[in-house]
Amino acid sequence: MAGPRFRLPPLPTIGELIKLYNLRAEKQLSQNFLLDMKLTDKIVRQAGSLRDAHVCEVGPGPGGLTRSILNAGAADLLVVEKDSRFLPGLQLLSEAAPGKVRIVHGDILTYRMDRGFPSHITTAWEDKPPNLHIIGNLPFSVSTPLIIKWLENISNRSGPFAFGRTRLTLTFQKEVVERLTASTSSRQRSRLSVMAQYLCTVHDCFTIPGRAFVPKPKVDVGVVHFTPLARPQIQQPFKLVEKVVRNVFQFRRKYCHNGISMLFPESRRWELATEMMHEADVDPTLRPTELTIPQFGALADAYAHLCAREPPGLLDYCSREERRLQRREPGGGRGRTTASGADPSHQRPPSPTTGSSDGNASATPGNPAEQRA
């Protein structure tokens, strides 16, 4: 039978702690403090029940979200904080909740979370998730690389996912939230959408207005909840899937065949790209945003088949590296041309349907932000 619910004793407010320790949000670290405990409580509720749970909080800062996690009944809270200025305030919380808070002064991008919790909490991947949660109000600068790292961990069942299908409740700037949750054919559909959704159920919980933070960011912030899928929607290694998806989205306004072709060396680009599209049974005149996750899965399967059949090195091939080497060669040109004078990577692909007149010629690659994510 569970004991009485834990509540923190009276403590200085977060605002008072900020003044007491002379804490200021560092712009270069993308720090923004959330002082409203009603909002931090609301974030924690999105994680589900934390009664007797193990929790890792990422970047606790002055400790507002930390208090809400403890008041929600977490039995074991591991906080990972890179900025040493916040350690005294976190130590105060640790003393107010004896035996419940562990403080790690370190970088979450390199911290070995698989060593941070006892092995007995582990559950089988196909079973219900373990009683372990990751929660964090993430700095904007680290949010995208961190979720990409954790998505790869999910695929490999490593890091925090060595314990099972660990759930995550995290904040992102609203633009990133829109990309994470974008559906097929949405304008916000991107590499990040596909990589997150083939591995997880991704839920946009609610939006926090920028004015709720100190200092006020120029954008609103969204709260996103991730639950890893028992069976990923694409059954290929993460790096292979990421390479296919990244290449497709590098020309987000063109036919998907253009990005697929860049997976292959120039000497066989048209041949292998056409074969891959045919084997995957994907219309080469679809735009990247129009492709469903099953279609990306079919493309990944076809690419894996070609990598296994062709001479070694295809999986490691990089079109940018090939172009760089060409430029260094005497008389090196931008690309090989056919008898008709056209670069085969930019020819109109064969299609069962007729594309629009501007489908290949006038469209331009996506902006750098979309290419990154």
Side-chain angles (χ1 to χ4, degrees), residues 138-314:
L138 303 180
F140 294 159
S141 61
V142 77
S143 61
T144 299
L146 185 56
I147 195 60
I148 290 292
K149 169 186 167 69
W150 279 337
L151 289 171
E152 184 168 7
N153 286 160
I154 290 171
S155 178
N156 300 332
R157 302 183 185 182
S158 60
F161 308 96
F163 301 100
R165 294 188 293 125
T166 302
R167 290 158 288 182
L168 306 98
T169 307
L170 306 168
T171 62
F172 300 88
Q173 54 186 318
K174 190 59 178 175
E175 176 191 355
V176 177
V177 174
E178 290 170 353
R179 294 208 302 270
L180 282 165
T181 59
S183 58
T184 305
S185 297
S186 164
R187 288 181 58 191
Q188 299 298 329
R189 188 73 161 175
S190 68
R191 175 179 71 108
L192 197 56
S193 317
V194 177
M195 299 307 293
Q197 294 171 31
Y198 98 82
L199 289 164
C200 299
T201 299
V202 186
H203 177 56
D204 180 359
C205 301
F206 68 97
T207 300
I208 304 173
R211 64 179 180 274
F213 293 86
V214 178
K216 175 185 174 182
K218 295 179 180 179
V219 295
D220 292 339
V221 173
V223 179
V224 182
H225 183 75
F226 302 81
T227 303
L229 296 170
R231 180 177 173 81
Q233 294 192 63
I234 301 177
Q235 300 296 311
Q236 292 294 342
F238 182 88
K239 290 190 182 298
L240 184 148
V241 177
E242 196 275 335
K243 184 180 181 183
V244 170
V245 176
R246 172 167 35 87
N247 273 270
V248 169
F249 275 102
Q250 71 173 314
F251 303 123
R252 62 179 291 110
R253 296 181 185 175
K254 293 188 176 184
Y255 294 141
C256 63
H257 186 277
N258 285 276
I260 291 296
S261 70
M262 303 308 288
L263 290 165
F264 305 106
E266 277 194 43
S267 60
R268 301 187 64 195
R269 183 163 291 166
W270 182 256
E271 167 202 350
L272 292 177
T274 301
E275 181 180 347
M276 179 172 160
M277 301 296 296
H278 178 75
E279 182 176 333
D281 193 25
V282 172
D283 182 350
T285 64
L286 288 174
R287 314 286 178 177
T289 56
E290 296 174 318
L291 294 176
T292 64
I293 289 181
Q295 286 174 320
F296 273 109
L299 289 168
D301 290 342
Y303 182 58
H305 177 254
L306 288 172
C307 288
R309 189 194 71 188
E310 295 295 315
L314 180 57

Side-chain angles (χ1 to χ4, degrees), residues 318-346:
C318 174
S319 61
R320 291 181 180 179
E321 179 65 16
E322 183 178 37
R323 290 196 301 271
R324 187 183 69 82
L325 293 174
Q326 286 174 345
R327 286 194 294 269
R328 293 176 61 181
E329 294 174 357
R334 184 167 182 263
R336 181 177 64 84
T337 58
T338 64
S340 64
D343 184 336
S345 69
H346 293 287

Side-chain angles (χ1 to χ4, degrees), residues 35-87:
L35 308 185
D36 187 340
M37 293 299 294
K38 290 182 179 178
L39 286 173
T40 58
D41 288 346
K42 187 175 180 180
I43 292 172
V44 168
R45 286 197 296 271
Q46 310 312 306
S49 174
L50 296 187
R51 190 72 179 269
D52 299 325
H54 298 264
V55 179
C56 176
E57 185 188 357
V58 181
L65 196 56
T66 314
R67 298 184 186 205
S68 292
I69 293 170
L70 289 169
N71 283 332
D76 173 35
L77 174 56
L78 173 70
V79 297
V80 182
E81 178 54 63
K82 184 177 181 179
D83 192 334
S84 60
R85 297 176 304 142
F86 297 119
L87 299 183

